[in-house]
Amino acid sequence: MLRSYAQLVTLLSATKALALFPDCSSGPLKNETICDSSATPLDRAKSLVALYTLEEKINATGSTSPGVHRLGIPPYEWWNEGLHGIAGPFTNFSDSGDYSYSTSFPQPITMGAAFDDQLIKAVATVISIEARAFNNANRTGLDFWTPNINPFRDPRWGRGQETPGEDPYHLSSYVHALIAGLQGDSSDPYKRVVATCKHYAGYDMENWNGNFRYQFDAQISQQDLVEYYLPSFQSCARDSNVGAFMCSYNAVNGVPTCADPYLLQTILREHWGWTNEEQWVTSDCDAIQNVFLPHQWSSTREQAVADSLIAGTDLDCGSYMPNHLPGAFAQGLVNETVLDQALVRQYSSLIRLGWFDAPEKQPYRQLDFSDVATNASQQLAYRAAAEGIVLLKNDGLLPLTIDSSTSVGLFGEWANATDDLLGNYYGVATYLHSPLWAAEQLNITVNYASGLGSSSDPTTNFGWMSVWPAAAASDVIIFISGITNDIEAEEKDRVSLSWTGPQLDMIGQLAGLGKPMIVVQMGGGQLDSSPIVNNPNISALLWGGYPGQDGGVAIMDIITGKAAPAGRLPLTQYPSSYTNEVPMTDMSLRPGPTSPGRTYKWYNGTAVFEFGSGLHYTNFSASVNRGLESSYDISELMSTCKQSNETYPDRCAFTPSPIQVEITNIGTTSSDYVTLAYLTGSFGPAPYPKKSLVAYQRLFSISGGSSDIAALNLTLGSLARVDMKGNKVLYPGEYSLLIDN
């Protein structure tokens, strides 16, 4: 059987048979319940699984499923990526022509800076529509292992760029919008695609100081688990009905997550009510192997696959489960009922995607390449980049006034960036518009010299020599640099939060020329920008993250005022000394004798830039119009909640709600404005967080002298604190609502 499975997988890979469909009209299954579209997904899936032999069932537990030829079940690849656009490793792009590209949006860290959930839903909708078009052409699957919704706890984490930021409420709201866009409305008869929330849970380290993600045991208190590490996953499961979860490489408090019934059953399925038959869990790739080695949780390979399957992992990314389940069955370590349950979950999911139904009855099956990279999706990619760029310093130089006589010098390794604009987990973009390309479209003189081939290039690199004549010929200097996937990436954590010596040296020399100068910091993780902020010869500093296929245009439009900045930092910018103050392996959030604390809520040092920082080209004022009283009675709040019949009290509305905040543009430049609402006060267990984000809303195009209303919906969960046992409690005390930073 092992030879058979290997041969089938090889055939599947060779033929690229990624998205074929079963034939329910004339195939072997046409008279079976699986092909009866009037039956329930559960009954249909059970009918199919009952037709499988044990060998066929076991073969179906790997992510590259060979299918069952005798029943007309084609091969299926479960592993597809769609972090910010459809991507590999199994999406098949043509070399040219149709299906040779798709829309590539900014990385989540940049889209998170927009604080615009409507934008996130729109982006996810485009991704799912393009995925469907590729799927109809047999070029990708229907299950996408996105989003990465682990909070960006430590600034060194190489994969933090894949997340919306560090705040659990922000992540929860972001992912709710994203899943709605990817999967479609719950009332739709078919899902567009199935999203997968990963990595569950406590995963935010790649390779730090000899600690590898495959073997790391994250020690997390129950309080921190409930308060910080799980809210985004709760939003996925309980509040958003996501189709799939991915368990992570690491262990949590001694137990590898893919073999942990507490996380996969007690919390996920029982406490959060994630019990639909179509909801399934996949391992991260080779994470089931890690249950055996290096975690050494299970004593044998057979026990590792049995433990994982019984705990609630339904699919193995890899071949470990198909290879070792036969031995597990032979040893009596697992029974067929558990295996059947896993397969019923998988096939119920495919049924909800319309995999077994006639294509003419499904609107999504009619999509083709004409629905990919449309004008609207290209405009949305640009909008996502422009909304996410953050202005951190401006002495009045920006927006930059230019005309045909203006000469601009563009320098730095990001000035002519192409693939770097995308970050990681990207497909083939429609185009890649670098800052240099965008500048060249303006009616100005552009003097370009990278100078730095990489962030660590020393002066022995003779590319430096080209910088000085270009700078001398320029009226304005723009230096675009930072970090790339060479520095931060999967399996690669950072060791420093500083700009490199060569970068600061070149910045300093350019600033010393006495010309107007702008610095644009790129990359997902923050760098300590103190030397730039404190240099009076540098007029402006922006952060652009990984802004996607039109990122260069968005950057230049912000600089020249065609677009107005309104993004906010979705994470804290720490001083470079932070790396010496707390190890990455310390999962605790609160400050203590050996830690200054983590995130804007608990960090007791002085941040270079706080979470939520962001300037505009105008000024705003805020005033609460309606919704707040001087005091509230907790028993009355709870009584009102019970009358609403809400299953989970933390979702009950805080009445009166919404709280209306009037935002007035007291300047002259039209601009968006992100209304951030924080709660602070002395209530619940000490120590108290400095503040906690409880609501946000992006308002659009508020012209000078005009106002708009932000309607902020708070819940009882917004007011709750988490005690040491992990309970959410409403405490009496003094509460204050803060608007903006």
Side-chain angles (χ1 to χ4, degrees):
M1 185 181 66
L2 297 184
R3 286 196 302 273
S4 173
Y5 177 76
Q7 290 165 354
L8 286 167
V9 170
T10 301
L11 177 64
L12 170 62
S13 301
T15 60
K16 300 194 175 194
L18 304 176
L20 300 172
F21 295 89
D23 181 3
C24 270
S25 61
S26 59
L29 296 172
K30 63 181 180 180
N31 296 320
E32 301 290 345
T33 304
I34 181 63
C35 287
D36 180 1
S37 59
S38 67
T40 66
L42 179 60
D43 288 341
R44 295 176 71 181
K46 284 183 175 179
S47 76
L48 178 64
V49 173
L51 298 173
Y52 280 24
T53 66
L54 177 59
E55 177 181 335
E56 290 165 345
K57 291 177 182 179
I58 290 174
N59 282 343
T61 60
S63 56
T64 302
S65 176
V68 180
H69 179 71
R70 69 180 181 87
L71 296 176
I73 299 297
Y76 186 76
E77 178 57 60
W78 292 88
W79 180 7
N80 306 279
E81 299 288 350
L83 183 65
H84 53 112
I86 55 175
F90 292 106
T91 296
N92 178 18
F93 288 92
S94 297
D95 293 333
S96 61
D98 288 357
Y99 298 101
S100 62
Y101 55 85
S102 62
T103 308
S104 196
F105 294 93
Q107 273 283 49
I109 194 66
T110 302
M111 291 196 290
F115 286 90
D116 181 358
D117 290 349
Q118 297 175 20
L119 170 74
I120 301 310
K121 183 177 181 181
V123 166
T125 300
V126 169
I127 294 171
S128 63
I129 287 173
E130 296 192 349
R132 273 289 185 162
F134 269 70
N135 174 261
N136 291 334
N138 191 29
R139 291 176 174 275
T140 196
L142 293 168
D143 293 273
F144 286 80
W145 292 1
T146 189
N148 181 342
I149 208 65
N150 299 103
F152 199 167
R153 169 188 64 101
D154 191 289
R156 290 164 285 194
W157 185 28
R159 298 185 72 178
Q161 60 176 289
E162 300 174 28
T163 79
E166 71 179 31
D167 179 75
Y169 171 78
H170 178 211
L171 269 66
S172 299
S173 187
Y174 176 106
V175 77
H176 184 68
L178 186 90
I179 290 169
L182 288 173
Q183 297 191 165
D185 191 271
S186 59
S187 62
D188 291 344
Y190 297 105
K191 291 180 179 178
R192 276 197 293 270
V193 300
V194 166
T196 307
C197 286
K198 63 185 186 185
H199 313 79
Y200 182 66
Y203 169 59
D204 53 16
M205 185 180 68
E206 304 300 303
N207 175 8
W208 180 82
N209 199 27
N211 296 276
F212 296 93
R213 59 181 179 168
Y214 306 106
Q215 64 193 36
F216 180 57
D217 181 10
Q219 295 296 306
I220 307 173
S221 72
Q222 193 74 358
Q223 185 178 44
D224 285 346
L225 199 65
V226 173
E227 181 180 271
Y228 188 71
Y229 293 97
L230 294 186
S232 54
F233 292 102
Q234 175 181 278
S235 178
C236 288
R238 191 193 73 177
D239 305 329
S240 306
N241 203 32
V242 74
F245 261 59
M246 176 185 284
C247 51
S248 55
Y249 290 120
N250 57 284
V252 173
N253 298 328
V255 186
T257 65
C258 292
D260 189 349
Y262 175 70
L263 284 176
L264 298 179
Q265 184 64 31
T266 305
I267 298 298
L268 176 58
R269 292 187 165 106
E270 295 175 10
H271 186 57
W272 291 340
W274 197 66
T275 55
N276 288 352
E277 68 276 359
E278 67 214 43
Q279 295 168 328
W280 48 276
V281 174
T282 179
S283 75
D284 205 340
C285 297
D286 296 320
I288 291 179
Q289 173 191 338
N290 301 155
V291 173
F292 173 57
L293 291 173
H295 283 300
Q296 301 183 57
W297 171 258
S298 303
S299 58
T300 66
R301 296 172 180 85
E302 292 78 13
Q303 189 69 59
V305 298
D307 287 345
S308 300
L309 190 65
I310 292 168
T313 301
D314 305 301
L315 184 74
D316 171 27
C317 178
S319 59
Y320 215 66
M321 200 174 272
N323 283 342
H324 296 292
L325 269 178
F329 272 96
Q331 296 173 35
L333 300 176
V334 66
N335 61 53
E336 202 164 347
T337 301
V338 178
L339 177 58
D340 286 353
Q341 176 180 253
L343 297 187
V344 166
R345 288 167 176 164
Q346 294 176 33
Y347 285 112
S348 296
S349 175
L350 287 173
I351 290 164
R352 285 284 282 115
L353 287 161
W355 204 52
F356 294 91
D357 292 354
E360 60 268 18
K361 297 181 179 179
Q362 303 180 56
Y364 301 140
R365 291 285 293 274
Q366 314 312 313
L367 298 171
D368 58 25
F369 191 67
S370 67
D371 300 292
V372 176
T374 64
N375 288 336
S377 67
Q378 308 307 298
Q379 292 167 12
L380 186 64
Y382 165 81
R383 174 188 157 198
E387 285 195 16
I389 293 171
V390 183
L391 179 63
L392 295 172
K393 175 185 178 181
N394 186 22
D395 67 3
L397 175 66
L398 300 185
L400 184 67
T401 301
I402 61 172
D403 57 34
S404 59
S405 66
T406 305
S407 176
V408 171
L410 272 180
F411 308 101
E413 68 272 30
W414 269 87
N416 193 26
T418 52
D419 286 348
D420 283 340
L421 293 167
L422 305 179
N424 64 2
Y425 281 96
Y426 60 85
V428 181
T430 309
Y431 44 71
L432 293 169
H433 288 161
S434 69
L436 175 60
W437 183 93
E440 289 174 341
Q441 311 313 303
L442 304 173
N443 186 26
I444 60 174
T445 299
V446 180
N447 302 304
Y448 164 69
S450 172
L452 294 166
S454 70
S455 60
S456 58
D457 268 358
T459 54
T460 51
N461 170 14
F462 287 97
W464 280 55
M465 301 302 293
S466 62
V467 169
W468 314 122
S474 302
D475 301 319
V476 179
I477 292 172
I478 303 174
F479 186 83
I480 309 177
S481 186
I483 51 179
T484 65
N485 282 303
D486 291 334
I487 304 298
E488 54 174 356
E490 187 166 357
E491 297 196 274
K492 186 182 295 184
D493 293 319
R494 289 194 289 158
V495 296
S496 172
L497 305 184
S498 300
W499 291 77
T500 66
Q503 286 173 325
L504 289 177
D505 194 352
M506 184 170 286
I507 290 171
Q509 289 189 64
L510 289 170
L513 298 177
K515 299 185 177 185
M517 181 168 174
I518 303 155
V519 174
V520 185
Q521 175 194 329
M522 306 300 293
Q526 290 291 303
L527 295 168
D528 180 349
S529 297
S530 300
I532 297 165
V533 175
N534 297 331
N535 189 327
N537 294 325
I538 299 174
S539 294
L541 170 66
L542 299 98
W543 173 77
Y546 293 98
Q549 64 180 39
D550 229 0
V553 177
I555 289 168
M556 293 307 300
D557 281 356
I558 292 286
I559 288 174
T560 59
K562 184 176 179 180
R568 304 298 190 100
L569 278 189
L571 66 168
T572 302
Q573 186 176 119
Y574 296 95
S576 58
S577 59
Y578 188 81
T579 58
N580 300 319
E581 296 173 340
V582 57
M584 280 194 75
T585 50
D586 183 354
M587 304 295 287
S588 62
L589 301 173
R590 289 158 177 76
T594 60
S595 171
R598 295 188 180 277
T599 80
Y600 73 95
K601 291 188 179 186
W602 300 107
Y603 178 54
N604 62 12
T606 302
V608 180
F609 286 106
E610 293 184 358
F611 170 94
S613 294
L615 303 175
H616 307 84
Y617 289 158
T618 187
N619 293 306
F620 291 93
S621 66
S623 61
V624 176
N625 277 1
R626 182 179 66 80
L628 288 177
E629 302 173 8
S630 59
S631 62
Y632 297 87
D633 185 272
I634 291 176
S635 62
E636 291 181 4
L637 292 173
M638 291 303 300
S639 176
T640 302
C641 177
K642 289 178 181 178
Q643 293 171 16
S644 71
N645 295 318
E646 171 57 62
T647 303
Y648 299 98
D650 63 293
R651 295 199 301 204
C652 285
F654 170 57
T655 52
S657 188
I659 296 168
Q660 293 191 348
V661 180
E662 183 176 27
I663 303 298
T664 302
N665 184 342
I666 58 177
T668 58
T669 302
S670 179
S671 177
D672 292 359
Y673 178 82
V674 174
T675 311
L676 300 175
Y678 300 93
L679 205 64
T680 187
S682 302
F683 52 91
Y688 309 118
K690 292 181 176 180
K691 57 184 179 181
S692 300
L693 186 71
V694 293
Y696 60 84
Q697 183 182 354
R698 188 175 183 118
L699 303 175
F700 302 97
S701 302
I702 306 174
S703 58
S706 298
S707 300
D708 200 353
I709 300 295
L712 305 176
N713 293 296
L714 273 63
T715 64
L716 296 190
S718 305
L719 280 65
R721 292 284 310 283
V722 178
D723 68 14
M724 294 187 69
K725 295 181 179 180
N727 299 304
K728 295 178 182 177
V729 182
L730 284 179
Y731 291 96
E734 297 276 339
Y735 293 70
S736 296
L737 187 71
L738 310 177
I739 301 299
D740 211 333
N741 280 29

